[in-house]
Amino acid sequence: MVYYNHLKTTYSKDITGAYNNFIYYRVKDKMKNYKAEISSLLAEFSLNDLLIFKEVYELKNYSAAAVSLKTSTSTISRKIKHLEVFFETNLFIMKKNVMYRSTFAESLYKQIINHLNPIVEQICLMKSKPESSLNNNDIRGTFKIQLPIIVSRGYITPKIPKFLANYPNLKLEILYSNSAYEILSSNLDICLTLNRQFADNMQAIHIEKNIYGELYCTKEYIKKYGTPKNLDELKSHNLVGVIVPDYTPVKQIRFINADSNQIQCIDNPNKIRTNNSDQNLELILSNEVIAPLINLTIKNTNLELVHILPEWKVDSLGIYVIINQYSNKYIINIIKDFLLECLSEI
């Protein structure tokens, strides 16, 4: 019996994400509207075809794969040919009755091992076992998440080992970045970002948190250059400007008065601009600049810095949660709930 022959139609929504990992490069070229066209593209081959490819890849023999899958050699050959037509490349090359794997086949196999196998296992498990009766050992697979550096330190990262200890078969691949990568093309399952512009485009969940920037420098800087008395005087100081991860131009920095809620903007300095509070701290320690620091950075340092214009806060930031709609929703919700619990302490 061929593996899981019924799964494509019964659980098409759940396995669509696995398909997407394999055909994204074709999707970019062939489709103007990804979401509208994805179902028709996925219909060109089945989950069964990929599992047959996996068996042939491992056994390096059509006949052996046919015996293992309890089907005919002609069926195996036809399915592999179907995939080769779809991907427009050879998967296997025969030389003197020896089967060789193509470079593309090696890449495809890695994708199946990393993404498709855990999904198939989870689908079969959930078919035979309702979600309400799943235990922690049933939660399995490798999931890719992206976390913002500044928020993760002290709030999320230290708690990850204990979280995973509750789920022996769950694995996390974590990308720490302040950028916001395209969640589908990067094969991310869940992404936390402070990037408001990106989040708006992705219809992200906005989490209200008291995260904002404040201006700091060192005592040595004050001795050299004096202390600005108001926002306008910052123009004559060595103030570090800001950029957003996607390099969208930021012409002005918006400040909010903590007492009156008054808003005032100043031109964004262009001598030095960064998108990283931790690196701003390094710049401050040069004794040559005033720079904005995220308030979380200050909580995690014991350095004696001078707080410049403490009544003014750089525009507040929010945390945005973006979820890959094609990932396993049940497991993603477990990971999301863990992240939200960590964020509740901010």
Side-chain angles (χ1 to χ4, degrees):
M1 183 177 77
V2 181
Y3 290 166
Y4 315 116
N5 194 39
H6 64 288
L7 288 178
K8 180 175 182 288
T9 53
T10 307
Y11 298 100
S12 59
K13 291 183 180 179
D14 296 282
I15 62 177
T16 300
Y19 287 21
N20 174 64
N21 291 328
F22 310 127
I23 63 172
Y24 181 79
Y25 77 101
R26 290 197 67 197
V27 171
K28 285 181 66 177
D29 295 333
K30 292 180 66 175
M31 300 194 312
K32 294 180 180 179
N33 186 335
Y34 176 78
K35 291 183 179 179
E37 301 282 343
I38 186 66
S39 59
S40 62
L41 184 59
L42 295 181
E44 294 186 33
F45 66 91
S46 68
L47 171 65
N48 211 42
D49 295 343
L50 295 176
L51 295 172
I52 286 174
F53 160 80
K54 174 180 174 290
E55 198 74 11
V56 173
Y57 184 96
E58 292 175 347
L59 297 176
K60 296 180 69 174
N61 187 285
Y62 284 4
S63 298
V67 171
S68 175
L69 297 174
K70 296 186 171 85
T71 188
S72 66
T73 303
S74 61
T75 298
I76 298 293
S77 177
R78 185 176 68 257
K79 294 291 188 180
I80 294 300
K81 184 61 178 177
H82 188 181
L83 286 176
E84 289 180 333
V85 170
F86 176 81
F87 287 116
E88 300 175 358
T89 187
N90 290 329
L91 296 174
F92 304 104
I93 302 168
M94 297 297 297
K95 292 183 179 179
K96 297 181 179 179
N97 294 324
V98 177
M99 178 179 286
Y100 296 90
R101 303 156 177 154
S102 70
T103 302
F104 183 87
E106 293 174 354
S107 176
L108 180 58
Y109 180 77
K110 290 178 182 177
Q111 293 292 322
I112 291 175
I113 293 299
N114 291 335
H115 303 289
L116 186 58
N117 271 10
I119 291 176
V120 170
E121 292 173 3
Q122 195 67 27
I123 290 172
C124 292
L125 174 66
M126 294 174 70
K127 179 182 180 247
S128 60
K129 202 173 186 181
E131 290 182 358
S132 59
S133 66
L134 293 177
N135 59 47
N136 288 6
N137 289 326
D138 295 328
I139 306 305
R140 64 183 65 246
T142 300
F143 290 81
K144 296 184 178 181
I145 65 176
Q146 178 187 315
L147 302 176
I149 298 170
I150 190 63
V151 175
S152 301
R153 184 184 298 112
Y155 295 97
I156 299 177
T157 301
K159 300 175 182 178
I160 291 175
K162 185 176 180 180
F163 166 71
L164 288 178
N166 294 322
Y167 301 98
N169 298 313
L170 180 63
K171 301 174 185 177
L172 295 181
E173 294 183 355
I174 307 169
L175 172 64
Y176 290 100
S177 176
N178 292 325
S179 299
Y181 296 99
E182 211 293 318
I183 194 165
L184 287 178
S185 60
S186 301
N187 291 332
L188 291 170
D189 295 293
I190 188 168
C191 170
L192 296 189
T193 180
L194 304 178
N195 188 332
R196 179 186 299 144
Q197 290 89 343
F198 181 87
D200 287 344
N201 292 336
M202 294 297 294
Q203 298 180 340
I205 303 169
H206 182 204
I207 302 173
E208 293 284 353
K209 287 296 172 184
N210 196 25
I211 302 176
Y212 50 84
E214 301 174 301
L215 299 181
Y216 286 88
C217 68
T218 60
K219 294 178 180 179
E220 288 76 7
Y221 178 92
I222 297 297
K223 292 177 182 178
K224 290 181 182 180
Y225 305 106
T227 305
K229 299 293 189 280
N230 53 56
L231 291 177
D232 289 332
E233 289 190 11
L234 287 172
K235 297 175 183 178
S236 60
H237 283 264
N238 301 325
L239 177 64
V240 174
V242 300
I243 57 174
V244 294
D246 63 357
Y247 288 97
T248 300
V250 178
K251 295 182 179 180
Q252 292 189 315
I253 302 176
R254 193 172 89 146
F255 289 83
I256 300 176
N257 190 291
D259 299 321
S260 65
N261 287 326
Q262 175 191 354
I263 296 175
Q264 184 173 337
C265 298
I266 66 171
D267 290 339
N268 188 16
N270 59 16
K271 185 69 172 179
I272 304 176
R273 292 177 177 174
T274 80
N275 72 329
N276 190 292
S277 183
D278 287 345
Q279 297 307 313
N280 279 0
L281 179 58
E282 296 295 319
L283 290 171
I284 289 171
L285 295 178
S286 72
N287 304 320
E288 293 295 329
V289 302
I290 298 172
L293 297 179
I294 301 298
N295 58 322
L296 300 182
T297 301
I298 298 301
K299 289 182 180 179
N300 293 323
T301 181
N302 295 319
L303 297 173
E304 292 187 11
L305 302 176
V306 179
H307 193 175
I308 300 298
L309 303 174
E311 69 275 18
W312 291 99
K313 313 294 184 186
V314 180
D315 199 1
S316 60
L317 300 171
I319 301 176
Y320 301 88
V321 182
I322 304 170
I323 294 174
N324 189 331
Q325 61 181 312
Y326 299 116
S327 297
N328 184 300
K329 293 180 180 179
Y330 182 72
I331 298 179
I332 285 299
N333 282 332
I334 290 175
I335 299 173
K336 182 191 73 174
D337 290 345
F338 161 69
L339 295 175
L340 294 180
E341 182 181 349
C342 294
L343 295 174
S344 67
E345 299 182 7
I346 295 178

